[in-house]
Amino acid sequence: MDELETILQMARDAMDRAYVPYSKFRVGAVIKAESGRLYAGCNVENAAYPAGSCAEQGAISAMVLGGDTKIKDIYVMGNGEHPTSPCGSCRQRIREFAMPETRVHICDRNGVRITKNLTEILPISFGPENLES
Ligand code: THU
């Protein structure tokens, strides 16, 4: 299996494990870190709706726990009719760990549909450098 197929399968597996009793909308995210390691996450909803978390959050937590802090690529896959694009909050979460060349791959179950640099979908962003004095 080539790496892209491995990543897509990880995203499908994550999506299939999503805990989504309320929206029924499954999302899986896979990060390829600068180190080359891969990290997956799924969305986990909550009866108190705003307490739920996005798939990208889960993947970012796994990445940080794994010792990586730079995202080279992130793949976001949902079970909707349209390819699943990261929400605004998750764009900012990705931004925290982004590099100038960080790419966001917007996927459906069958594969990558749209690829953008993070800067294209979150231009003129606020990041850690802004807090430097
Ligand atoms: N969701 C994600 O996991 N990532 C996104 O970027 C968009 C939305 C989840 C949150 C919620 O569990 C479901 O999709 C419907 O909004």
Side-chain angles (χ1 to χ4, degrees):
M1 215 190 292
D2 67 9
E3 189 182 51
L4 177 60
E5 195 40 54
T6 300
I7 290 169
L8 293 173
Q9 193 52 48
M10 283 175 75
R12 280 183 212 110
D13 291 346
M15 202 168 69
D16 291 345
R17 293 221 166 144
Y19 177 77
V20 290
Y22 309 107
S23 74
K24 318 277 192 225
F25 190 82
R26 298 179 175 279
V27 185
V30 176
I31 290 171
K32 180 174 177 178
E34 193 180 27
S35 65
R37 283 191 286 268
L38 302 174
Y39 301 97
C42 63
N43 53 334
V44 179
E45 297 184 346
N46 192 284
Y49 294 174
S53 57
C54 285
E56 297 91 323
Q57 282 179 271
I60 288 170
S61 294
M63 176 188 76
V64 171
L65 182 60
D68 277 300
T69 53
K70 290 282 172 220
I71 299 174
K72 197 159 175 290
D73 294 275
I74 181 164
Y75 297 76
V76 183
M77 181 187 287
N79 68 343
E81 191 188 326
H82 306 287
T84 296
S85 187
C87 73
S89 300
C90 284
R91 292 175 193 205
Q92 184 64 35
R93 291 188 180 103
I94 296 164
R95 167 66 179 88
E96 184 71 18
F97 302 101
M99 305 186 287
E101 66 271 27
T102 296
R103 285 176 306 179
V104 178
H105 305 277
I106 297 168
C107 308
D108 62 23
R109 200 174 181 92
N110 298 315
V112 175
R113 296 291 164 239
I114 301 165
T115 294
K116 296 280 181 194
N117 287 330
L118 180 66
T119 48
E120 292 178 270
I121 62 168
L122 192 69
I124 323 174
S125 63
F126 187 86
E129 314 77 51
N130 291 98
L131 295 180
E132 288 165 8
S133 47

